[in-house]
Amino acid sequence: MSQETEFDIAIIGAGPGGYVAAIRAAQLGLKTALIEKRKALGGTCLNIGCIPSKALLHMSEHFAFARNDAVSSGIEIENVSLNLDTVMKKKEKVVAQLTGGIDILTKKRGIERFDGFGELQGDNRISIKGETDEKIIQAKNIVLATGSEAISLDFLPQDERIVTSDEAIAFDTVPEKLVVIGAGAIGLELGSVWSRYGSKVTFVEFLPKIAAGFDDDVSKLLERTFKQQGMNFHTNAKVTGALESNGKLTVVAEKDGKEIQIPADKVLVAVGRRPFTEGLGLETAGVDRDDKGRVVIDQHFKTTANGIFAIGDIVAGPMLAHKAEEEGVAVAELIAGKAGHVNYDVIPNVIYTEPEASSVGLTEVQAKEKGIPVNVGKFPLTANGRALATDATHGIVKVIACSKTDKILGAQIVSKNASELISEVVTHMEYGGSAEDLARTVHAHPTLSESVKEAGLAVSKSAIHSL
Ligand code: FAD
Ligand code: NAI
């Protein structure tokens, strides 16, 4: 064991929470250590999550366009075929570029990187087990940012065909039949990828609707659109097991009291993620967790142990990279004696399907449940010129505002580039903007963003291009 070095801050886990905290801490002049067990920095997000899935979504969208839609734009391509090996290599190149970039950033900031598994030892000490050695470091402040892992369903058999997103971002062949358990963000995104590459994709979703975080009208629109793309959905259906017979796999589910059987070549279990705190030494250090295994923190990210903080997927709140990043910045600022803060009321959420679905703030239902009187403005993409000109008419913008103050409470967007369009609403909400503010902001023509303005106008029943 080597000699102990003391840091102002040591961060365990180099995902978007951890590496961002490290960079901000170093910017603020703190002597910073970053501990990561994976070879590359960037965590789930860069290595096996956000980035590889978006690369696959992008490439598969081009493939689907070439195969199904190009002809309607006057492009006649014969014999469109897939080279999955090239797809995966390109995805890996994107990941390598980005994780390499984080490596350079952290080095240039003077952050000391430790490769290995971090474990709390108590008394501000962390042991780091590398491949060949073990080190101990000391830090005045420790930030836990160890992220999450996919939840698996224990009642399904151990079978290499039953996988999580970790494997489904790297299939080496296109499964003929893919069953996706869970129609949330991961299921819908990766289901879309493999459907575009030719899989027959069937979803089994426990709840009565898909994309559960959205209002019913928006979820229904999404389901209808995905069905038109060839994906199948069993909602209100509970998977009870999987059978194996003559080498063939069948997923068994229960819907309306009846059993359904769905043949599968691969099964993607996408039923959520849980905090990853295994082997972290939480008990030794006196760090408490809640009944969902999340590290308990106060509003300043302090855990129940002195000098130990936690951020990102291991604490409560949406499991999103940008939420983890904002917490990373805030925790570093608080530790440096500044006023770090995250506005949890205004965290956007996106599902990167085609069309994309994005949301921020309260849904219409949530606002009503809170007893807030609302006005809702909706604008269909079919009435937007840019959408018509670019084959992007599947969608809607919905703005929810308080009927007393006109303050924007939330928005939901189904559209091409909904991930980008939502930013405008986020900014208005951040500054306490009203639906009228949104509606009176000049938008370039022709753009999809005019639909956001029109939905703002629709809140006061004054949309120009729809009734
Ligand atoms: P992680 O990114 O999980 O990073 C934690 C790191 O800690 C890991 O690198 C891990 O190896 C390391 N670690 C764990 N324990 C130890 C230890 N004891 N010692 C040393 N190192 C340790 N979110 C979005 O916002 N947008 C998206 O488009 C999106 N797409 C996703 C797609 C998929 C398929 C998945 C799985 C997730 C996606 N997410 C997305 C969620 C996003 O990846 C997470 O919310 C985000 O990565 C959480 O960041 P984090 O820093 O808390 O943890
Ligand atoms: P999720 O929580 O988004 O969706 C899981 C779905 O599975 C839910 O609809 C749930 O009702 C359903 N479900 C749960 N148990 C079930 C069962 N036994 N049978 C059938 N259905 C069941 O979780 P998901 O998609 O696994 O994603 C995990 C996390 O990763 C999410 O918190 C998400 O925020 C994050 N993520 C974010 C992305 C993005 O921002 N674009 C993309 C991918 C993941």
Side-chain angles (χ1 to χ4, degrees), residues 13 16-17 36-37 43-44 49-50 54 117-118 145-147 313 319-322:
E36 172 56 56
K37 66 180 170 61
T44 303
C50 324
K54 263 80 265 175
F117 195 95
T146 52
D313 279 9
M319 288 182 162
L320 295 171
H322 41 283

Side-chain angles (χ1 to χ4, degrees), residues 165-437:
S165 62
D166 295 358
E167 294 80 23
I169 56 158
F171 287 153
D172 54 9
T173 54
V174 178
E176 209 176 298
K177 299 183 200 84
L178 174 67
V179 173
V180 182
I181 308 179
I186 292 184
L188 291 170
E189 289 184 5
L190 294 178
S192 293
V193 166
W194 294 109
S195 166
R196 292 168 191 170
Y197 284 144
S199 294
K200 183 178 181 330
V201 177
T202 306
F203 286 86
V204 185
E205 167 59 54
F206 190 67
L207 296 174
K209 65 179 190 180
I210 71 165
F214 290 79
D215 275 323
D216 285 0
D217 51 345
V218 177
S219 291
K220 275 194 192 117
L221 171 64
L222 285 171
E223 186 173 337
R224 212 166 45 236
T225 311
F226 299 148
K227 278 181 176 162
Q228 283 164 8
Q229 292 171 7
M231 290 179 265
N232 305 302
F233 293 88
H234 296 288
T235 47
N236 255 328
K238 189 173 152 202
V239 172
T240 51
L243 305 169
E244 148 91 50
S245 163
N246 296 330
K248 303 259 185 221
L249 192 64
T250 304
V251 173
V252 183
E254 207 182 281
K255 184 177 162 71
D256 304 328
K258 289 190 194 121
E259 186 181 281
I260 44 176
Q261 296 202 353
I262 314 159
D265 296 301
K266 293 273 188 195
V267 179
L268 166 59
V269 180
V271 296
R273 295 177 64 82
R274 68 167 143 246
F276 180 76
T277 53
E278 216 176 289
L280 192 54
L282 295 183
E283 294 76 17
T284 313
V287 175
D288 288 352
R289 285 180 293 168
D290 66 14
D291 56 355
K292 292 188 175 137
R294 301 175 298 196
V295 173
V296 176
I297 50 168
D298 67 8
Q299 73 272 35
H300 292 131
F301 310 103
K302 286 182 179 163
T303 68
T304 47
N306 223 355
I308 303 184
F309 301 76
I311 57 168
D313 279 9
I314 54 163
V315 301
M319 288 182 162
L320 295 171
H322 41 283
K323 178 255 192 188
E325 288 187 41
E326 293 303 327
E327 290 181 342
V329 169
V331 77
E333 290 180 345
L334 287 166
I335 288 170
K338 295 185 170 295
H341 173 72
V342 178
N343 183 358
Y344 289 100
D345 292 336
V346 192
I347 295 182
N349 182 35
V350 181
I351 304 179
Y352 293 81
T353 42
E354 179 52 45
E356 294 178 346
S358 61
S359 66
V360 62
L362 299 179
T363 62
E364 184 180 350
V365 169
Q366 286 167 341
K368 286 178 179 162
E369 278 169 2
K370 282 177 180 278
I372 307 173
V374 296
N375 281 334
V376 173
K378 289 190 196 179
F379 188 80
L381 268 288
T382 40
N384 173 276
R386 183 67 182 277
L388 271 165
T390 55
D391 299 322
T393 51
H394 280 292
I396 192 168
V397 180
K398 177 171 179 179
V399 171
I400 299 122
C402 172
S403 62
K404 284 194 183 142
T405 62
D406 198 37
K407 191 174 170 181
I408 303 169
L409 302 169
Q412 294 173 51
I413 304 178
V414 174
S415 166
K416 189 171 210 56
N417 293 341
S419 54
E420 311 288 349
L421 296 178
I422 198 74
S423 295
E424 172 181 16
V425 187
V426 172
T427 307
H428 274 282
M429 286 180 71
E430 189 65 42
Y431 290 103
S434 65
E436 186 175 354
D437 291 329

